[in-house]
Amino acid sequence: MSGLAGNKMRRLPGLMATRRSQLNTLLVRGRCLVTDEASMAEFMRLSHRGFNVKRRVEEELMPMTDALRDCGWYSTSNFLGHETCAAMRREAEELRRLGTFTQSYSEVAETREPIWRPNVYQLELNGESWRTAPRLVLYLSELMAVLPPALNTHFPDLMLSEAIMGHKLAVSCGGGARYPRHLDNVSGAPTDMRKLTAVYYLNAQHGE
């Protein structure tokens, strides 16, 4: 499953939050040391409050599953509310300002040749991202805990992992920015285990 969109299946690095009730526990691994008490306090405050992802998924589940059966995709608006969306966008903008994004690309399955996306940049969160982007990290953690088991109930053959996901932030900077036509998963299992892509747009005026 891809929480935003991702090139690889992986655990959210550095942060292991498996269930909504466990989000108050931050497991720090490797070199991810807590040195900024203010950042930790904000992260813990947000983790206790949560983003009601479980409730929102439950509200959208029936129309979502019906649409996935009928046409293979589903779209909804205002999933987390305008205030949370705006705060998450500010976090993404700060990550961009810090120079952490790289140019986005996909690969030709047979040759691994990169297909560059003009004026599109990407970032995969890491074990330090919670300091700058606590809402983005927590949202992904909540979504990872809720969406796979919810969909597995309705699509048992799908067998979405409840522990592993890909993730990516992407920004298009105008000036001809585009994604060349491509498939997210060309080779399939076992090379690429992705089965579902979920995209959350941070544009305030986004429309289909």
Side-chain angles (χ1 to χ4, degrees):
M1 190 195 82
S2 177
L4 297 175
N7 290 329
K8 299 177 181 177
M9 300 297 292
R10 63 181 65 188
R11 293 182 183 273
L12 191 62
L15 302 174
M16 302 288 289
T18 58
R19 289 292 184 270
R20 168 66 181 85
S21 61
Q22 296 173 319
L23 285 172
N24 62 328
T25 301
L26 175 65
L27 301 183
V28 183
R29 300 186 302 169
R31 298 175 60 188
C32 184
L33 304 176
V34 178
T35 57
D36 187 338
E37 292 184 1
S39 295
M40 173 56 72
E42 175 67 1
F43 185 90
M44 297 304 293
R45 181 186 71 82
L46 291 169
S47 69
H48 282 291
R49 188 184 71 180
F51 296 104
N52 291 318
V53 173
K54 184 177 187 296
R55 176 180 62 81
R56 290 294 291 121
V57 168
E58 290 173 348
E59 292 172 349
E60 301 283 346
L61 189 57
M62 292 312 298
M64 183 190 307
T65 54
D66 289 344
L68 289 174
R69 286 192 182 97
D70 291 343
C71 59
W73 62 274
Y74 176 70
S75 176
T76 189
S77 299
N78 200 26
F79 186 67
L80 296 180
H82 297 298
E83 182 179 345
T84 298
C85 180
M88 291 169 64
R89 182 183 174 94
R90 289 192 295 270
E91 292 179 355
E93 290 173 346
E94 178 62 12
L95 289 169
R96 172 80 169 136
R97 188 190 68 81
L98 292 172
T100 54
F101 282 70
T102 59
Q103 188 169 357
S104 181
Y105 68 96
S106 55
E107 292 181 342
V108 177
E110 296 79 9
T111 65
R112 313 296 291 180
E113 178 185 0
I115 303 174
W116 298 102
R117 298 162 178 164
N119 287 340
V120 179
Y121 299 88
Q122 68 182 28
L123 167 68
E124 293 190 12
L125 300 177
N126 59 44
E128 295 292 326
S129 297
W130 63 271
R131 300 176 186 276
T132 305
R135 291 168 182 83
L136 291 171
V137 169
L138 289 168
Y139 165 66
L140 285 173
S141 296
E142 288 194 40
L143 188 72
M144 180 173 64
V146 171
L147 188 57
L151 289 178
N152 283 337
T153 300
H154 292 266
F155 302 96
D157 293 340
L158 192 59
M159 294 187 295
L160 293 175
S161 171
E162 299 183 23
I164 302 175
M165 67 183 296
H167 62 278
K168 178 169 64 179
L169 298 178
V171 57
S172 298
C173 298
R178 65 188 185 277
Y179 280 74
R181 184 177 296 180
H182 68 285
L183 297 174
D184 274 354
N185 189 342
V186 178
S187 54
T191 304
D192 193 329
M193 298 296 290
R194 284 178 297 172
K195 299 177 180 179
L196 177 74
T197 296
V199 182
Y200 185 69
Y201 290 95
L202 299 175
N203 306 58
Q205 303 301 323
H206 173 71
E208 295 181 20

